[in-house]
Amino acid sequence: ADEGMWLPYLLGQQVYNDMVKKGLKLTKEQLYSINKASLKDAIIIFGGGCTGEIVSSQGLIFTNHHCGYDAIASASSVANNYLKDGFYARSKQEEISAGKLSVQFLVRVEDVTKQVTDTLKDLNGQERLSQQQAVFNNIVSQAVAGTNYEGRILPMFRGNQYLLFIYERYKDIRLVAAPPESVGKFGGDTDNWEWPRHTGDFSVFRVYADKDNKPAEYAADNVPLKPKYFLPVSIKGVKENDYAMIFGYPGGTNRYESSYGVKLKTDVENPAIVGLRDVRLKLMFEQMKKDPATKLKLASSYAGIANYWKFFDGETKQLLKYHVLEDKQQQEADFEKWAQGKAEYQNIFKDYAQAYKDWSPYTKHRIYINEGILGSPLTAFAASLQALEKALTQPGTPADVIQKSLQAADKARSAFLQEEDKRSDQLIMAATCHKFYTDIPQAQHPIGFYDGVKAKFGSLDDDNTYRLWSTAIMNGTIILNDSKWKDFIAHPDAVTLQTDPAFAYASAFIKNYAGKYLPLYNQFMLKNNDLGRTYLKGVMEKEPAKKWYPDANFSMRLTYGQVKSYSPRDAISYDYVCTMKGVMEKYKPGDYEFDLPEKYMDLYKKKDFGQYKDLKRNDMVVCFITTNDITGGNSGSPVLNGTGELIGLAFDGNYEALSHKIQFDQVYNRTICVDIRYVLWCLDKLGGATNIISELKLMK
Ligand code: ARG
């Protein structure tokens, strides 16, 4: 298979020749150019953690349904439920503003390693971090001076190289189309992270600009963006072994994680996260089942929690199955042999051992704060009020600073209330507080907190105690009481805030953590960074001829591979495509995850597939798999053939390779893509959105 998340701007020096050998028909300049329009100009950061691509001369965007999910849910109401029923704008007037959603175009990349390291030299730890921030700010502000661009510097190879990325951000984004959730999320969490998969995971948006084609805040008279470049769309279909490449924004990998890190992950971190998410998901789901309004409120947050609940569980299983720990230990032993007598390198793993020994007793505590205590939305919001508390209690805080802090809190509260479901939140609060009591060593509990609960509400081993306690918080807090909150904003005083039961609860846990354990965590992270940087420097020095690619860090990458079937287990082989026949096999009327719209069934019965039909199979191809190297963040990325035409959208990885963040598996790793012909069929036949089809440049 095809490991490697390559930096497009370095392709010429690295893998371009190999890409050509495997089937690429484009020049380097057509893929990535600084002066001329090139393929990279069609690739965007979509929102905060996805990829999208421009597919028409009028700024049309394709991305995944799960990437547009939050925007689709926010645009929906129980009466106009676009999440449930789908949405197709018949004209530009019908497109719906996607609110805060923005997209970013990559303008250029610059290697700033020399500038950064001239200042940082061999600094380590906190000193390095502080200096680094200053240098970064300096370089970025010079680079973007006099423009509307944004710059971000990312350490590559754990800080052995530094790259500056310059972006242009567009803020007027509108929803153009989405299939019904039953199609866009067909198979739900049951099928998530698995092949065979039958999901139409796509949605359509549009970038708007001002009259000069420049970024602007939403305005009714903004016009569709005229992009530098857009992708042609191929409806020729895919064959086994076809060349496939994916441009996009993989969010994070950690392929040089130490064996110590792998062990802590599988032993402690992942099981803790999964256990806590399990609790929260069940409590949310119970309420979501009950009524559509609650479902809409919680849908987006639920999907996000569920996605990585399944991921972390699968990741642990695959890391163990493939003996990744033992592989790492072997690599580290080899490294240590090489490092003998090299002062810079020979003690790295002794130092790793010590750093992990120091931190591991508190790892679970940290996760129980972030995924447990703060897994209650009310508690998380209450915790965010600490900035306000500080403003109110610090002597000499200027009145306008206090006013600003109050306004910010008031605005954040409105946003919080939009998605707040009190019933599930109250139970989550109770369950996570109980779980913290049971699972975290008593010596680490906030002093006096649980005694207080016991004195007022009963035995700390009894679920009911925590239910009573959380009910009291819900009833007593000003956060959930409009008139009391208004009063507080009008006449703010620290005592009202500090004695508020929700705030006091959040504070007790946060202050305990921040006072005693966060400093240890920071120390650990700094040490880990320094060791990782040195280790990777040594690893590259040890094999100077090898072509290296940096870990994913949400910068633009390219991966190339092939359309390919695989065998997950003995005697089983998986085809490289799946079809609508399989959608029908999975169909369960009325089911939460496997239902389908009536119209879909009708079209299938009539075999009304139009020009999107796969002739070989006399059916619609729904999804296909490739050997590409992607991870979360790549969602929505274009899958392109050798001539740079769009053949699909990447939306997932397969279960057998969920260890991919730590180690790429050459045999099992697959990317799951929705076939572009299915996307177009859903728009055209299911949605009747011929207006969108006619905007595209179809290659037949
Ligand atoms: N696993 C996919 C990813 O992280 C997201 C799939 C969303 N669908 C779902 N059923 N949760 O890229």
Side-chain angles (χ1 to χ4, degrees), residues 50 64-67 184-194 197 199 201 302-304 306-308 311 593 630-636 650-653:
C50 274
N64 287 152
H65 186 263
H66 77 265
C67 294
K185 201 182 167 176
F186 185 78
D189 292 310
T190 301
D191 275 8
N192 192 18
W193 300 111
E194 293 192 42
R197 180 72 152 280
T199 309
D201 198 344
Y302 182 90
N307 190 27
Y308 273 85
F311 175 88
E593 298 179 314
I630 68 157
T631 191
N634 266 118
S635 282
F651 72 94
D652 211 358

Side-chain angles (χ1 to χ4, degrees), residues 11-237:
L11 283 182
Q13 301 156 41
Q14 291 195 308
V15 290
Y16 176 74
N17 290 340
D18 191 45
M19 292 167 71
V20 171
K21 220 166 71 199
K22 302 254 165 78
L24 175 66
K25 300 282 190 307
L26 301 176
T27 65
K28 279 174 258 187
E29 286 278 294
Q30 286 174 307
L31 293 176
Y32 187 99
S33 163
I34 351 180
N35 319 312
K36 284 189 291 219
S38 61
L39 221 155
K40 80 110 169 68
D41 294 313
I43 315 303
I44 54 179
I45 296 179
F46 184 86
C50 274
T51 305
E53 53 275 356
I54 305 292
V55 291
S56 90
S57 62
Q58 303 173 62
L60 200 67
I61 302 170
F62 279 178
T63 187
N64 287 152
H65 186 263
H66 77 265
C67 294
Y69 202 76
D70 193 48
I72 303 164
S74 300
S76 299
S77 61
V78 176
N80 288 311
N81 200 333
Y82 306 131
L83 198 62
K84 180 165 172 288
D85 303 326
F87 173 76
Y88 310 90
R90 306 288 169 204
S91 68
K92 301 209 173 63
Q93 284 70 42
E94 287 181 22
E95 296 174 2
I96 301 174
S97 164
K100 287 194 307 286
L101 185 76
S102 67
V103 306
Q104 298 169 67
F105 289 83
L106 177 62
V107 179
R108 62 170 201 273
V109 185
E110 235 175 86
D111 191 327
V112 293
T113 310
K114 189 172 174 340
Q115 281 163 276
V116 174
T117 47
D118 275 355
T119 313
L120 296 188
K121 304 222 166 52
D122 294 326
L123 287 181
N124 274 319
Q126 183 55 48
E127 224 182 328
R128 185 183 182 91
L129 193 68
S130 320
Q131 291 270 1
Q132 177 175 300
Q133 208 41 64
V135 191
F136 282 10
N137 290 344
N138 222 328
I139 297 175
V140 168
S141 56
Q142 278 182 28
V144 302
T147 70
N148 62 333
Y149 296 158
E150 294 173 23
R152 293 192 285 277
I153 296 177
L154 294 175
M156 315 304 272
F157 301 107
R158 295 199 159 193
N160 284 288
Q161 188 190 23
Y162 294 90
L163 296 182
L164 167 64
F165 295 83
I166 303 284
Y167 298 99
E168 186 168 34
R169 186 191 292 268
Y170 281 83
K171 296 177 177 174
D172 185 350
I173 308 301
R174 303 187 196 172
L175 174 64
V176 176
E181 183 177 29
S182 55
V183 173
K185 201 182 167 176
F186 185 78
D189 292 310
T190 301
D191 275 8
N192 192 18
W193 300 111
E194 293 192 42
W195 179 255
R197 180 72 152 280
H198 296 80
T199 309
D201 198 344
F202 79 91
S203 59
V204 185
F205 289 79
R206 191 188 304 280
V207 193
Y208 279 77
D210 69 13
K211 293 196 175 51
D212 304 317
N213 213 32
K214 281 308 210 180
E217 297 292 336
Y218 173 87
D221 60 351
N222 281 343
V223 292
L225 176 82
K226 287 186 223 45
K228 282 206 193 84
Y229 190 82
F230 66 90
L231 301 175
V233 178
S234 163
I235 55 171
K236 292 169 283 195

